[in-house]
Amino acid sequence: MNIEYHKWWSPHLNRDMEFKVYGHGGKPVIVFPSSGGSFYEYEDFGMVEVCRPFLESGSIQLFTPDSIDKESWLNSAIPHSQRIARHNDFERYFFHELTPYIRQRTGQQMFMATGCSLGAYHSLNFLLKHTDVFDAAICLSGVYTLRFSVGDHMDSELYYHSPLHYLPGLNDEAVLERLRRSSLVICSGQGAWEEETLRDTYQLQTILRHKNIPAWIDIWGHDVAHDWPWWKIQMPYFLKHLGY
């Protein structure tokens, strides 16, 4: 299996950014790290290995950019406005640096987003806000508001980074039609550490139905915890059933 390591200086983030590439072709799948995770955690926790059949067949290709969540949403030492600004820097890096690189390299215009825990939040948020780049997402054990970062505080800037807040007000028919054609998987267990995930998943399901956006909402059993052993089962399961 092809594995590559890349690093370049990002002018949008004013720091080096690293990522890895796994596979040789197929649908570009962007993997957003879990809470406080890094670009190599997907490999370290065995997720790349369980995706091996899809990678070796050329059905998908994984791109695992590094996270800056410790500088943005997870940095409780700075004001909300600075967390938002730093996250916006990451979005500029992603869409003005990494996206053109992946498109030029693969010849593919549209990507899938995926992630576990906080990576699932990023995956859904990027799909909803950037339907010109993403047309699929597999979100495993995610929370879809910013309570994990700012509690119950909400203002006009935070609103547009909190899917359960802004999605009900999304009325752009062109965007909604693209979302209705997308492939969206939202999965949560009912076991340990999945309480917030389960709550947000059910709330998201209600909003998506109201917006007429098809989604595969899959609630797993009471033994299914918020942890890598379950995510290693879920990811290949969903890839297979999506036809990759």
Side-chain angles (χ1 to χ4, degrees), residues 133-196:
V133 176
F134 292 99
D135 62 0
I138 299 175
C139 305
L140 305 179
S141 297
V143 292
Y144 305 112
T145 75
L146 289 173
R147 289 190 192 94
F148 67 87
S149 177
V150 300
D152 291 328
H153 176 77
M154 182 55 58
D155 59 35
S156 59
E157 289 185 286
L158 289 168
Y159 174 89
Y160 288 105
H161 291 290
S162 187
L164 291 185
H165 286 91
Y166 70 72
L167 182 55
L170 178 58
N171 295 311
D172 185 319
E173 278 302 319
V175 173
L176 289 170
E177 279 305 310
R178 288 194 292 271
L179 288 172
R180 288 166 187 149
R181 294 193 299 269
S182 67
S183 297
L184 176 57
V185 174
I186 307 292
C187 179
S188 173
Q190 300 179 74
W193 314 297
E194 287 281 70
E195 294 85 0
E196 291 185 31

Side-chain angles (χ1 to χ4, degrees), residues 44-202:
D44 285 359
F45 283 102
M47 297 293 285
V48 172
E49 186 59 33
V50 299
C51 291
R52 179 182 287 272
F54 307 95
L55 296 166
E56 291 186 342
S57 70
S59 297
I60 65 167
Q61 190 170 16
L62 298 176
F63 293 82
T64 63
D66 209 358
S67 164
I68 69 155
D69 290 328
K70 290 179 181 178
E71 302 172 28
S72 58
W73 300 127
L74 299 180
N75 187 356
S76 60
I78 61 175
H80 302 155
S81 59
Q82 292 182 29
R83 296 182 218 179
I84 295 167
R86 194 58 176 156
H87 173 77
N88 288 341
D89 291 339
F90 177 77
E91 289 207 11
R92 282 187 281 271
Y93 156 75
F94 187 89
F95 292 105
H96 296 290
E97 298 180 51
L98 195 55
T99 293
Y101 168 82
I102 296 172
R103 282 177 165 169
Q104 188 278 328
R105 175 191 173 113
T106 66
Q108 302 270 353
Q109 294 299 301
M110 303 300 289
F111 310 158
M112 175 191 291
T114 193
C116 310
S117 188
L118 188 51
Y121 156 80
H122 286 303
S123 297
L124 180 67
N125 191 40
F126 275 41
L127 170 70
L128 295 177
K129 294 170 64 177
H130 300 279
T131 54
D132 58 327
V133 176
F134 292 99
D135 62 0
I138 299 175
C139 305
L140 305 179
S141 297
V143 292
Y144 305 112
T145 75
L146 289 173
R147 289 190 192 94
F148 67 87
S149 177
V150 300
D152 291 328
H153 176 77
M154 182 55 58
D155 59 35
S156 59
E157 289 185 286
L158 289 168
Y159 174 89
Y160 288 105
H161 291 290
S162 187
L164 291 185
H165 286 91
Y166 70 72
L167 182 55
L170 178 58
N171 295 311
D172 185 319
E173 278 302 319
V175 173
L176 289 170
E177 279 305 310
R178 288 194 292 271
L179 288 172
R180 288 166 187 149
R181 294 193 299 269
S182 67
S183 297
L184 176 57
V185 174
I186 307 292
C187 179
S188 173
Q190 300 179 74
W193 314 297
E194 287 281 70
E195 294 85 0
E196 291 185 31
T197 293
L198 194 58
R199 176 202 63 203
D200 283 10
T201 297
Y202 281 130

Side-chain angles (χ1 to χ4, degrees), residues 199-219:
R199 176 202 63 203
D200 283 10
T201 297
Y202 281 130
Q203 187 175 345
L204 179 62
Q205 182 180 41
T206 298
I207 298 168
L208 290 170
R209 283 177 175 169
H210 181 72
K211 292 291 182 183
N212 237 3
I213 298 172
W216 182 359
I217 308 293
D218 207 1
I219 308 301

Side-chain angles (χ1 to χ4, degrees), residues 1 42 54 224:
M1 177 174 59
Y42 216 64
F54 307 95
V224 179

